[in-house]
Amino acid sequence: EMISSLSCAADKEVKEGNDQLALGSVGPGVSADDGPTLAFPSISTADFQFNHEKASDIIVEKVEEFVKKVGNGRLVLVDLNHGSKILSLVRAKVAQRNIDSKKFFTFVGDITQLYSKGGLRCNVIANAANWRLKAGGGGVNAAIFSAAGPSLEIATKEQASSLHPGNAVVVPVPSSSSLYGREGVSHVIHVLGPNMNPQRPNFLNDDYNRGCKILRDAYTSLFEGFVSIIR
Ligand code: AR6
């Protein structure tokens, strides 16, 4: 059984090619049954160019609100690199709040390989989607659709054909998908965040009044989707 350290809100290193280290260390009071877990990327802060300071404030605010509502569930903010600015900002801000570090922490790794490479069990992962809910495009969206295979595209189309900014849609992962078989992911929640990139649809032209409201709505929709799965 792979067990991950949850003793602090620190990143755990994902070391490829070294199974021992990939398991991480066992923290105090941590069992293999970690409870339902949502892994989510920082919505809108890469391709959609949303301000990182503002985004990190909103992540911490929404996490603080929802850790109380997820029962024994956990929320995990994921990014690819140790140098992630958004992870550093969130960790610094979380440290100043009263948030249970077993219920919320950050993790460095590919969201499509959290269990197989990182030893972190997450039954639900979030996607920073595009409004058409199309595969490809880049970023975490391309990674998730590519790792899941075409069955996720079909399953997604059965739930919705498009998304408005600030909304999310819960998609059950077909058991034929390797995301299900290899990673143990039963649901993907697609989220559409606010877009500050002039090259992308629904460009907000630096309107952070609307942008912050949409990002709050996006995290609310995401976390409510997770709550609906684990109830
Ligand atoms: N695992 C974990 N985190 C990742 C991964 C991964 N495999 N890939 C990227 N990230 P982005 P957005 C992090 O650009 O800004 C797409 O083309 C990344 O470092 O994926 O909401 C869609 O089709 C960053 O912290 O999403 C949309 O058109 C976070 O995920 C558009 O990009 C989000 O980065 C959405 O842009």
Side-chain angles (χ1 to χ4, degrees):
E1 201 73 81
M2 294 197 194
I3 299 167
S4 54
S5 168
L6 307 177
S7 54
C8 59
D11 298 323
K12 276 157 289 175
E13 209 165 343
V14 178
K15 288 204 162 66
E16 294 185 41
N18 187 327
D19 290 331
Q20 292 278 246
L21 285 167
L23 298 176
S25 57
V26 181
V30 177
S31 82
D33 293 310
D34 292 318
T37 304
L38 168 70
F40 65 100
S42 169
I43 306 298
S44 292
T45 54
D47 192 41
F48 278 179
Q49 300 178 7
F50 200 92
N51 176 277
H52 283 53
E53 271 298 340
K54 290 179 170 61
S56 60
D57 282 338
I58 290 170
I59 291 169
V60 174
E61 172 195 321
K62 285 291 154 185
V63 161
E64 191 168 39
E65 180 184 339
F66 275 89
V67 283
K68 299 162 193 153
K69 301 181 182 175
V70 295
N72 69 333
R74 311 182 298 182
L75 306 173
V76 183
L77 176 66
V78 176
D79 203 353
L80 283 170
N81 305 112
H82 283 277
S84 167
K85 194 178 139 203
I86 196 79
L87 290 196
S88 310
L89 286 166
V90 167
R91 279 198 304 269
K93 288 170 186 182
V94 155
Q96 298 163 6
R97 308 282 188 101
N98 201 1
I99 297 175
D100 184 345
S101 61
K102 291 189 197 66
K103 297 218 153 178
F104 173 73
F105 54 96
T106 64
F107 194 90
V108 173
D110 183 336
I111 204 163
T112 66
Q113 303 188 312
L114 291 173
Y115 183 59
S116 61
K117 289 267 171 72
L120 181 70
R121 286 180 184 277
C122 299
N123 61 316
V124 184
I125 64 173
N127 177 29
N130 53 68
W131 76 277
R132 288 180 190 277
L133 295 169
K134 290 285 187 207
V140 72
N141 183 74
I144 289 175
F145 275 107
S146 154
S151 67
L152 182 65
E153 294 180 54
I154 295 161
T156 297
K157 283 199 196 97
E158 283 170 14
Q159 300 301 320
S161 54
S162 65
L163 270 187
H164 289 291
N167 286 15
V169 60
V170 174
V171 177
V173 176
S175 56
S176 59
S177 167
S178 65
L179 216 47
Y180 186 99
R182 188 190 65 218
E183 303 298 330
V185 174
S186 65
H187 295 78
V188 169
I189 305 179
H190 298 295
V191 191
L192 184 61
N195 170 37
M196 296 298 180
N197 178 349
Q199 312 298 321
R200 298 287 178 265
N202 302 305
F203 170 50
L204 285 173
N205 198 9
D206 242 35
D207 182 350
Y208 273 98
N209 281 328
R210 283 179 65 202
C212 287
K213 187 194 175 300
I214 292 169
L215 193 59
R216 283 194 186 88
D217 289 348
Y219 282 108
T220 299
S221 306
L222 167 61
F223 294 153
E224 282 178 349
F226 178 55
V227 168
S228 77
I229 293 167
I230 66 181
R231 270 222 180 99

